[in-house]
Amino acid sequence: MTATLDIDQAATELEHADAADVLRWATANLPRFAVSSSFGADSAVLLHLIAQVDANIPVLFLETGFHFPETLRYRHDLAELLGLRDVRDLKPELTVVQQASEHGGGLYVRDSDGCCAIRKVEPLNRALREFDGWASGVRRGQTSERAETPVVQTVNREGRDMVKVSPLARWSTEDVDGYLAHHGLPRHPLAEVGYPSIGCAPCTRAVLPGEDPRAGRWAGSAKTECGIHIELPGEPVALELRDRSGR
Ligand code: SF4
């Protein structure tokens, strides 16, 4: 049995919906649904929402091997605090040592796109093969590339159409701060000491007062995205889905 999902209509209807309602729509309509999280500065918002909607939803964490120790501790502690039952560490095919052996050390300096392709894009694509859709915490105000992010869209990954959900697309920094404060959620420890956006340690620095919040990511290069949120459009209107038995 298949169901046809009208993504354009869903995107229109959900544009002004609460983030939790967007996630409820996703869990009701996508038989195999996950969320990706960097366990970064703002991640507690989406993960708290996920925990309220369904703590069994798989949470995909890209374990690049280059994270700050604080990120790995936060990933463990936040998952436990929120009661998330299925956090998965997505690992690259190559360990850090193997990558240095095959491509030379410091690939993130010489070819950061290549390093992100190995350590982020490929592992996420591999993990997403078992899902019909996933959510991320992308917000329109974060970068110019994200300014048009729909709340719901079809994207094509590795030749397959799937649904990408961005429940926080409309949220401002103030919305995020307010939500974290209202629910007493802990921030990533580095967010308190000048890191408003946190990725791999070799590619993240603290920002100076007045700098753009993402100025500390790949500082000194033109790169602003690791590649996991650069999407090819999927079919514009409809998506064929398996029924909930997985057939
Ligand atoms: Fe490599 Fe830096 Fe990308 Fe991490 S953010 S995968 S270290 S280039």
Side-chain angles (χ1 to χ4, degrees):
M1 188 179 108
T2 61
T4 300
L5 201 55
D6 188 329
I7 292 297
D8 288 348
Q9 184 184 347
T12 301
E13 291 175 357
L14 294 170
E15 172 63 23
H16 297 288
D18 288 345
D21 288 338
V22 175
L23 289 170
R24 287 189 194 95
W25 172 89
T27 57
N29 286 283
L30 303 171
R32 303 177 305 167
F33 176 66
V35 57
S36 65
S37 178
S38 65
F39 285 84
D42 300 340
S43 296
V45 173
L46 184 59
L47 294 173
H48 183 258
L49 287 162
I50 287 286
Q52 309 309 304
V53 172
D54 183 354
N56 292 309
I57 293 172
V59 176
L60 310 178
F61 171 64
L62 289 162
E63 207 329 7
T64 64
F66 284 121
H67 284 297
F68 292 101
E70 289 89 341
T71 300
L72 299 180
R73 272 201 299 277
Y74 185 62
R75 171 237 177 275
H76 175 271
D77 293 348
L78 188 62
E80 202 163 87
L81 176 74
L82 298 177
L84 299 169
R85 298 196 187 95
D86 189 5
V87 181
R88 304 179 185 184
D89 290 336
L90 310 185
K91 296 192 175 173
E93 297 281 4
L94 299 178
T95 66
V96 168
V97 172
Q98 287 169 332
Q99 178 169 301
S101 172
E102 286 192 23
H103 299 280
L107 185 64
Y108 43 78
V109 175
R110 291 177 287 105
D111 178 10
S112 57
D113 284 345
C115 186
C116 282
I118 293 169
R119 313 206 75 75
K120 290 189 172 183
V121 178
E122 190 282 330
L124 182 62
N125 283 345
R126 185 163 22 102
L128 288 177
R129 285 174 200 154
E130 67 174 279
F131 296 103
D132 302 301
W134 86 108
S136 84
V138 165
R139 293 187 286 114
R140 291 171 187 162
Q142 289 171 317
T143 66
S144 56
E145 289 88 350
R146 300 180 182 187
E148 306 294 327
T149 302
V151 173
V152 185
Q153 63 185 315
T154 52
V155 298
N156 189 287
R157 290 188 89 104
E158 299 184 307
R160 187 168 71 92
D161 292 323
M162 57 188 308
V163 178
K164 185 172 183 182
V165 183
S166 302
L168 308 182
R170 290 189 300 114
W171 285 42
S172 66
T173 301
E174 291 71 29
D175 292 332
V176 169
D177 291 345
Y179 189 94
L180 291 173
H182 180 74
H183 293 282
L185 295 168
R187 282 185 179 275
H188 189 298
L190 293 179
E192 311 289 358
V193 291
Y195 291 79
S197 178
I198 302 159
C200 296
C203 302
T204 306
R205 66 157 170 80
V207 302
L208 301 170
E211 274 191 316
D212 183 274
R214 285 181 66 89
R217 305 290 298 278
W218 304 284
S221 81
K223 184 176 171 77
T224 58
E225 294 279 353
C226 64
I228 62 172
H229 296 304
I230 297 173
E231 309 290 0
L232 293 173
E235 289 298 312
V237 176
L239 183 77
E240 296 294 324
L241 295 172
R242 279 175 292 280
D243 69 15
R244 288 182 180 277
S245 65
R247 290 189 293 270

